[in-house]
Amino acid sequence: MQNILGSILPEFSTAEKQKLNKGLDFIGVNHYSSYYVQDCMFSECEPGRGTSKTEGYWAQSSQKNGIPIGEPIEQDGNSFYPQGMEKIVTYLKQRYHNIPMIITENGYADTKSNSTTKELVHDAARVTYLAGHLNALSTAIRKGADVRGYMIIAMDVCLKLYIAVFLLQIFSLPPSISCELLNLRQGFHNLSVFPSDFLFGTASSAYQYEGAYLSDGKGLNNWDVYSHKPGNKIIDGSTADIAVDHYHRYLEDIDLMHSLGVNGYRFSISWARILPKGRFGEINEAGIEFYNNLIDALLVKGIQPFITLTHIDLPQELEDRYRSWLSPKSQFLEPIIFGRYPPEMQNILGSALPEFSTTEKQKLNKGLDFIGINHYTGYYVQDCMFSACEPGPGTSKTEGFYAQSSQNNGIPIGEPTELVWLNVYPQGMEKIVTYLKEKYHNIPMIVTENGYGDKNTVDSTTEEPLQDVKRVEYMAAYLDALATAIRKGANVKGYFAWSSLDNFEWNSGFTVKFGLHHVDHKTLTRRPKLSATWYKNFLSEHSKVKDHQQQVEYGKTSHFYY
């Protein structure tokens, strides 16, 4: 400044110099976005803000070679560049002897004037912005910056409670702040719809969770063999030999479930652990003991075991002999409920369909206890029997002459995600439940799987995988849609989120994550994500509503005499 401005700069008096020597208590930092800056003293700049002598001979731009410094946001000229928070704090630390600093302003502005009320309070972009900047700030602190506080710029009524200084302790918590997510109220308005005996839980499967693939007498299953076979289709070349080591860590995992407040846990049986040689060998008592111990530990915590008899994996012995389980007959709801295959199947497949024996028909007449629904997303479906379809999954005769697509006229059915097959379409939850209610006489239903998957980013920061805002939004929307179906009369008895832990996802290996808890697959350390906190609060609120409902019912049936 002295070189550029010279005598233009004012002189400090002796008294002023004495005051300045006392230093200052802290440096206040107002930080929103970042820019590329160009020196205009020794290089040519386009005229603009900052380029004059008194402004310092500099020019700023949010782009370099046409590429934005970060994701552009609605506010003109600003970009989402959380790294800038760490950089400015680190610069001030090094330049000014690490004088204490306070972030006196930081925040995200949106400019939509024609938004709906739901859109206005559903501020996912603000969540992402605040999480990113707080994470960057915590990185600077971890590297030694003496930051004493953080303040969000003035907000609307919804967030005024949180206009505050967050002391350093805040950085031990997930740094995601938003009206809905801090209050964790998203989706809570429908809690009274879920019955008091409703099952809320998490789901898993033996092969994806247990590991211990040759421990305590377990035999090989079909996926043990497949995952070790050269040329398989597992993206990252991984196996579930260890998976998340649920076999040895089930007590820890049950504690995690209990901390969420779930009252159900869906898991499957590894028959290779109980019948290592299929039907032709001895029973492995160690396998039975494991599941007995697992079930007992669940019951101690008040969690109802919900057992899936088989979940894709089966003893290799059965695979070798029969290529599957013994019965070759397809399992559909129509035969179980109506004692026959659907007319459409009969018309298409005719004599190719197996016949039911008299004994089988008698068994089918007994019906079923409930319908289990695994639901993640929705598709558009096209009839391929009476219209031309491009060849693909489902279009053949034996598959039913149908084609599916997540787009219609180039428009996705719902918000795309990192997974090609998964679009966020919560309306699908209400539609599938309502369809089953009407088609099958409202037999009890349980949502046995529902969850949001994202990709495992190798170069992500330590805290980034924990900030799963999109998973929170997904769960809230789908549970809201489920509640709508229940309110309209659907007899739904439970909901199981997939899944409590990041786990082995079949041919995707460990490249895809569905967990409410992050698992470091090197150390197997479990850490709760934001979605775990949300689900915990959701269940806590449901428990309060349930208690209130029970008190009301008790009041209706109780008589007091004085």
Side-chain angles (χ1 to χ4, degrees), residues 264-510:
Y265 175 49
R266 175 182 162 245
F267 61 95
S268 70
I269 300 291
S270 169
W271 289 104
R273 197 174 293 287
I274 293 177
L275 299 170
K277 294 294 182 180
R279 61 181 295 191
F280 301 98
E282 299 295 323
I283 293 174
N284 179 29
E285 294 294 337
I288 292 178
E289 183 181 7
F290 166 71
Y291 290 110
N292 277 338
N293 291 340
L294 174 63
I295 290 169
D296 289 344
L298 289 167
L299 293 174
V300 166
K301 295 290 187 179
I303 300 173
Q304 181 174 327
F306 199 86
I307 299 173
T308 306
L309 289 180
T310 179
H311 192 124
I312 300 181
D313 64 302
L314 66 155
Q316 184 62 32
E317 179 72 23
L318 296 183
E319 178 85 2
D320 293 338
R321 288 177 181 263
Y322 307 107
R323 294 189 300 173
S324 183
W325 296 102
L326 285 176
S327 174
K329 293 179 179 160
S330 303
Q331 300 299 310
F332 290 91
L333 287 174
E334 297 266 337
I336 298 173
I337 296 171
F338 300 127
R340 56 167 172 74
Y341 286 108
E344 296 85 353
M345 288 186 69
Q346 296 180 42
N347 293 337
I348 295 172
L349 298 177
S351 60
L353 284 173
E355 293 286 335
F356 292 112
S357 68
T358 302
T359 303
E360 289 171 333
K361 287 180 179 179
Q362 290 174 346
K363 289 180 179 179
L364 290 173
N365 285 335
K366 295 178 181 178
L368 72 171
D369 298 320
F370 66 90
I371 298 171
I373 305 168
N374 288 7
H375 179 75
Y376 291 85
T377 189
Y379 295 93
Y380 294 107
V381 178
Q382 178 186 356
D383 162 52
C384 300
M385 195 169 184
F386 301 103
S387 61
C389 295
E390 293 291 326
T395 59
S396 69
K397 178 180 178 180
T398 54
E399 291 175 301
F401 288 131
Y402 79 97
Q404 71 178 33
S405 174
S406 60
Q407 294 189 351
N408 186 15
N409 297 323
I411 301 173
I413 192 170
E415 180 186 351
T417 69
E418 294 179 340
L419 307 186
V420 174
W421 60 269
L422 180 61
N423 288 66
V424 180
Y425 184 69
Q427 302 94 313
M429 175 68 87
E430 180 188 351
K431 289 182 178 181
I432 186 62
V433 169
T434 301
Y435 170 82
L436 293 171
K437 175 191 79 171
E438 296 171 351
K439 179 80 171 178
Y440 301 114
H441 314 308
N442 209 12
I443 290 171
M445 290 169 273
I446 293 176
V447 179
T448 42
E449 283 185 27
N450 175 245
Y452 180 91
D454 47 25
K455 290 188 176 179
N456 188 13
T457 307
V458 177
D459 59 352
S460 62
T461 64
T462 304
E463 299 298 323
E464 187 178 340
L466 305 183
Q467 308 309 314
D468 58 341
V469 175
K470 290 295 184 181
R471 183 168 289 108
V472 172
E473 294 173 350
Y474 176 97
M475 292 181 69
Y478 275 73
L479 278 166
D480 187 60
L482 181 61
T484 300
I486 294 172
R487 191 186 302 108
K488 293 179 179 179
N491 188 13
V492 183
K493 299 293 188 179
Y495 169 91
F496 290 85
W498 185 274
S499 180
S500 178
L501 305 174
D502 291 341
N503 58 79
F504 180 86
E505 289 294 341
W506 307 112
N507 276 336
S508 296
F510 294 107

Side-chain angles (χ1 to χ4, degrees), residues 200-204 257 260 262 264-266 495-497 499-500 516 535:
F200 280 110
T202 60
S204 70
M257 291 179 235
L260 293 178
V262 301
Y265 175 49
R266 175 182 162 245
Y495 169 91
F496 290 85
S499 180
S500 178
L516 305 179
Y535 199 32

